[in-house]
Amino acid sequence: MTAPVVLRGVSYAYGEGELRRPVLREVDLTVEEGEIVLLTGPSGSGKTTLLTLIGALRAMQSGSAVVLGEELAGAQEAARVRLRRRIGFIFQAHNLLGFLTARQNVAMALELDGSLSERARQDRAGELLAAVGLADHTEKPPARLSGGQRQRVAVARALAAAPGLLLADEPTAALDKASGQEVVQLLRELAKSRGVPILLVTHDPRILDIADRVVAMEDGKIVCTTDTGETPAQVVMTKG
Amino acid sequence: MNHVTPLLPWAPELNGAAPAAAPARPAPAAGEAPAPRQAPPPVPPARRAPGFLAGTFLAIRLAWRQLRSEKARLASAVAGVMFACVLVFMQLGFRAALFDSATQLISAMRGDLFLMHPMTTASFRPEPLPRVRAHQALALPEVQAAVPIYLAQATWRNPADGSRRTIQLVGVDTEAGVLDFPGLAPLVDALKRADTVAFDARSRPEFGDVARLLAERGPFEAQVGNRMVQVVGLIEIGPSFGADGNLVLSETNFRRIVKERVVSAIDLVAIRLQPGAEIEATRARLAALLPADVIVLTQPELVAWERRYWEEATPIGFIFAFGSLMGLVVGMVIVYQILFSDIAGHLKEYATLKAMGYSNGYLRRVVLGAALILAGLGFVPGFVAATLLYDVVGAGTFLPLHMDAERALGVFAMIFAMCAAAGLLAMRKLRDASPADMF
């Protein structure tokens, strides 16, 4: 089985003609099953663009990207929309729908699955919120939750549809140290327990320790890769 | 980190299934809830998207939840739709009332066939035809009676305050039974006397409270043109845009008031056929018999002729159509504004939905669903308000304003289309919700 994310020679540029500004140059990156990869680097190094390409939010320009078994180069919009349903996203801002309760927000991720009944969606949303420690807050709108709680709802939403890959962009940027730590630890536990790989873009040095591997980018290139904790192989061996 | 956390009841660790060994989840049948302890596979298969109907239901529910969350905005949108709704109802009501009232006089005339000068545009502005045509029509054995009708307008002096207004005169042999208005039958004998008239009780109040005077004093004198006549009774026709009131009187009395009218110049001939005579066949024979200065019409055709004048030869039909259109445009702009600001204010959320795998089509259905919810919410109070206004305005203007199912359905369709158009316009804003700009 191929790894969830396999990038080969991915390049990307914004603008046209003389204004053309390359942001990614020949990037190769592989994320293994169950692996947590942190993408760091200065602003403008292209890490966010890379994340949007992997998340099928942007059309590819050149190179090859196989995400969850789907080749993204030349993929149509409809194919990319289908792929997005198998990827969980966590944004810098929580981006919850303000007019929905926490439970309804999580259920939104499940409404794309036609095989679930309304009852099943509500139940599963409740279970996920309990899993992120918000069992008592399921019926509150985001406005009545704290920043950390909102981001935990966003984590529950990202995990709701049992994604094959989690993409997160600065999930702790808007949070204080304690709630930031809480959210990433939660993310790590939930992802590890389900074998979901995570690709996380961050500037935040406080959360580097959750990663299996830290990939640093600069000027659109991967400049250094550091294995930090356990390797994916160790994860599999120690399981069960 | 490998400690089994109790947080996830369906976590693979709990049921002993290693992630790699987890069987691919079988596609569950529709409506079947998945077993809660089933292990999610590491790479789930592409899920079956909800059917179109189920997806539309979810989209409309999302639209409703969004609308509901901002009560003030929802109220202003509903008020806008309601405003458009009432405006269109009133314009269409006035338009229909105009056409109904303009043809009221003609509709009341009883006759199988009518002779009219082809250049007559409308009953209040008739082109005279020779009286002899009425007698010529009698040449056919099928024709039982042919009655000349005189139409003219004269001034009526208000018996209460002396002010003068134009009133429609209908001069006819009242005994012939060609004209039938409510209340006319008992007055036939009284109208045979010299200088007597029957007054239309539904005329506008500016003509004076004739009904009260009649009840108080009995038959009384009033001035029509330059002549004093006696009002002997009341009939009911109703005012039209061409005439604010009506008087029915005998041929002879008509000529006494309209002195310049030559006896031989009549305005309309009503023909009654022998029982069992074929109307169409007789019409063809009459048309062949009579010269080209008359046309032969059935009553529905005569009504249609009158109506066409108001629809085509006056700007009135256009004015009301234009008024309706303006109402719809204003309503559309209001709904568009509301939907647009809803989208603009939730761009991030919409982009998030796109990132989660919601298609553009789904989000369009959300916007369209919101538009159609507004259409429904605005139409109901608009319909109620318009029905009440019809009663109030109808009583004030003496115009026949009535709500009917056909118009209600028509206006609902227009409001629906208006909101849908606003929704389609607002959808273009969805393009700005780009998930690529989310990170």
Side-chain angles (χ1 to χ4, degrees):
Chain A
M1 189 164 183
T2 54
V5 179
V6 182
L7 305 186
R8 289 289 169 263
V10 172
S11 297
Y12 195 89
Y14 291 109
E16 292 290 327
E18 287 187 10
L19 293 173
R20 187 178 162 87
R21 188 169 52 85
V23 285
L24 291 178
R25 307 162 205 260
E26 300 285 324
V27 173
D28 295 341
L29 178 68
T30 304
V31 179
E32 297 292 340
E33 205 67 67
E35 194 182 20
I36 298 182
V37 175
L38 246 65
L39 213 50
T40 65
S43 301
S45 57
K47 53 191 191 309
T48 295
T49 306
L50 192 61
L51 205 64
T52 55
L53 284 175
I54 295 170
L57 303 179
R58 234 179 246 292
M60 293 276 293
Q61 285 177 347
S62 66
S64 152
V66 180
V67 176
L68 300 178
E70 306 270 343
E71 174 56 73
L72 282 174
Q76 295 298 308
E77 168 78 10
R80 287 194 282 131
V81 168
R82 273 198 305 279
L83 178 60
R84 284 179 210 160
R85 296 179 190 170
R86 296 164 54 199
I87 299 174
F89 289 96
I90 298 167
F91 304 95
Q92 183 170 349
H94 53 83
N95 288 340
L96 300 174
L97 295 174
F99 53 89
L100 297 181
T101 64
R103 185 198 292 273
Q104 288 167 342
N105 262 297
V106 176
M108 280 303 292
L110 297 165
E111 285 183 8
L112 287 161
D113 185 351
S115 61
L116 292 176
S117 68
E118 173 70 12
R119 182 80 252 149
R121 286 195 294 261
Q122 297 292 321
D123 289 349
R124 263 184 90 170
E127 286 164 14
L128 277 156
L129 284 169
V132 296
L134 292 175
D136 298 334
H137 304 280
T138 53
E139 308 311 322
K140 287 185 187 168
R144 285 171 51 206
L145 298 172
S146 72
Q149 286 171 330
R150 286 179 207 163
Q151 200 58 291
R152 279 191 273 161
V153 176
V155 169
R157 179 174 65 176
L159 286 165
L165 173 67
L166 266 182
L167 299 178
D169 179 52
E170 310 265 8
T172 59
L175 302 178
D176 59 50
K177 185 180 180 207
S179 34
Q181 284 291 340
E182 207 179 357
V183 166
V184 288
Q185 285 304 331
L186 194 64
L187 198 56
R188 181 187 165 87
E189 278 171 34
L190 294 178
K192 283 286 173 192
S193 66
R194 317 174 81 182
V196 181
I198 303 181
L199 186 59
L200 196 152
V201 164
T202 188
H203 277 116
D204 191 348
R206 298 171 303 197
I207 62 169
L208 292 180
D209 58 330
I210 71 154
D212 299 323
R213 191 148 59 97
V214 177
V215 175
M217 286 187 72
E218 209 169 318
D219 285 340
K221 287 179 192 151
I222 290 176
V223 290
C224 136
T225 296
T226 322
D227 279 347
T228 52
E230 50 198 353
T231 63
Q234 285 171 315
V235 178
V236 173
M237 281 165 61
T238 49
K239 272 217 173 117
Chain B
M1 232 44 262
N2 303 319
H3 174 70
V4 173
T5 111
L7 294 175
L8 283 169
W10 61 87
E13 294 85 339
L14 293 185
N15 56 18
R25 185 165 53 152
E32 184 198 329
R37 288 190 172 266
Q38 194 172 19
V43 179
R47 276 172 291 271
R48 190 169 60 79
F52 183 79
L53 276 180
T56 303
F57 165 74
L58 291 173
I60 290 177
R61 189 178 68 173
L62 186 68
W64 167 237
R65 284 172 172 171
Q66 178 169 357
L67 287 173
R68 192 184 54 180
S69 70
E70 294 196 52
K71 298 279 191 300
R73 194 182 271 185
L74 176 64
S76 62
V78 168
V81 176
M82 184 182 151
F83 167 79
C85 196
V86 169
L87 200 58
V88 173
F89 263 125
M90 293 321 286
Q91 298 287 337
L92 293 184
F94 284 139
R95 184 171 183 267
L98 159 71
F99 294 142
D100 286 351
S101 72
T103 56
Q104 247 166 356
L105 183 62
I106 300 289
S107 309
M109 294 181 183
R110 201 163 51 190
D112 298 319
L113 288 173
F114 289 87
L115 303 184
M116 189 177 74
H117 196 284
M119 284 173 69
T120 293
T121 49
S123 61
F124 76 96
R125 202 184 291 151
E127 185 75 23
L129 61 135
R131 188 183 168 100
V132 69
R133 301 285 174 257
H135 303 304
Q136 283 172 321
L138 287 169
L140 288 184
E142 298 94 319
V143 175
Q144 191 184 52
V147 190
I149 299 170
Y150 294 89
L151 298 171
Q153 297 200 338
T155 53
W156 160 272
R157 190 180 292 282
N158 184 332
D161 62 14
S163 64
R164 284 158 68 107
R165 287 180 73 89
T166 302
I167 197 164
Q168 177 76 40
L169 303 184
V170 182
V172 69
D173 178 1
T174 46
E175 227 177 353
V178 177
L179 277 180
D180 183 37
F181 301 118
L184 184 66
L187 300 176
V188 167
D189 281 332
L191 286 175
K192 283 183 198 163
R193 295 204 310 268
D195 291 323
T196 53
V197 297
F199 183 82
D200 176 9
R202 288 174 57 204
S203 299
R204 286 190 57 88
E206 285 80 357
F207 290 103
D209 196 349
V210 173
R212 188 178 52 79
L213 290 174
L214 206 59
E216 283 174 6
R217 308 182 194 165
F220 65 96
E221 294 267 296
Q223 190 185 346
V224 179
N226 295 321
R227 200 171 180 88
M228 295 308 287
V229 296
Q230 196 180 30
V231 180
V232 293
L234 296 175
I235 45 138
E236 285 192 22
I237 302 174
S240 67
F241 281 70
D244 293 335
N246 300 287
L247 287 179
V248 174
L249 63 175
S250 71
E251 282 183 23
T252 321
N253 287 331
F254 178 90
R255 289 203 298 270
R256 283 180 174 131
I257 294 171
V258 191
K259 291 207 178 60
E260 68 276 16
R261 176 65 72 96
V262 194
V263 182
S264 63
I266 60 171
D267 299 305
L268 210 55
V269 178
I271 292 173
R272 193 164 64 230
L273 300 182
Q274 299 284 4
E278 285 274 329
I279 291 185
E280 276 306 312
T282 314
R283 176 166 65 170
R285 293 186 65 188
L286 270 176
L289 182 76
L290 297 170
D293 61 355
V294 292
I295 48 171
V296 189
L297 300 170
T298 62
Q299 177 155 24
E301 284 171 347
L302 186 64
V303 171
W305 184 285
E306 182 88 1
R307 193 184 171 94
R308 205 178 63 203
Y309 166 77
W310 291 102
E311 280 184 14
E312 293 175 5
T314 68
I316 297 171
F318 172 79
I319 287 169
F320 289 116
F322 188 75
S324 306
L325 190 69
M326 283 299 107
L328 290 174
V329 169
V330 169
M332 190 175 82
V333 169
I334 294 174
V335 173
Y336 170 75
Q337 276 294 332
I338 299 289
L339 294 175
F340 182 89
S341 54
D342 255 349
I343 298 173
H346 293 101
L347 266 189
K348 283 196 134 191
E349 286 84 350
Y350 278 109
T352 309
L353 289 178
K354 278 193 193 174
M356 283 162 64
Y358 281 95
S359 61
N360 274 321
Y362 182 91
L363 296 183
R364 287 201 197 104
R365 274 181 279 168
V366 172
V367 175
L368 207 54
L372 300 186
I373 288 170
L374 291 179
L377 287 182
F379 178 79
V380 173
F383 173 79
V384 172
T387 308
L388 293 176
L389 272 174
Y390 274 4
D391 287 346
V392 174
V393 175
T397 61
F398 296 87
L399 282 170
L401 283 168
H402 304 293
M403 182 66 76
D404 56 40
E406 197 185 328
R407 188 181 307 151
L409 285 175
V411 172
F412 184 66
M414 282 186 230
I415 295 292
F416 211 69
M418 170 193 94
C419 288
L424 291 172
L425 282 176
M427 267 174 203
R428 298 181 309 166
K429 183 71 184 164
L430 281 177
R431 286 196 218 128
D432 294 351
S434 158
D437 301 331
M438 290 295 301
F439 284 114

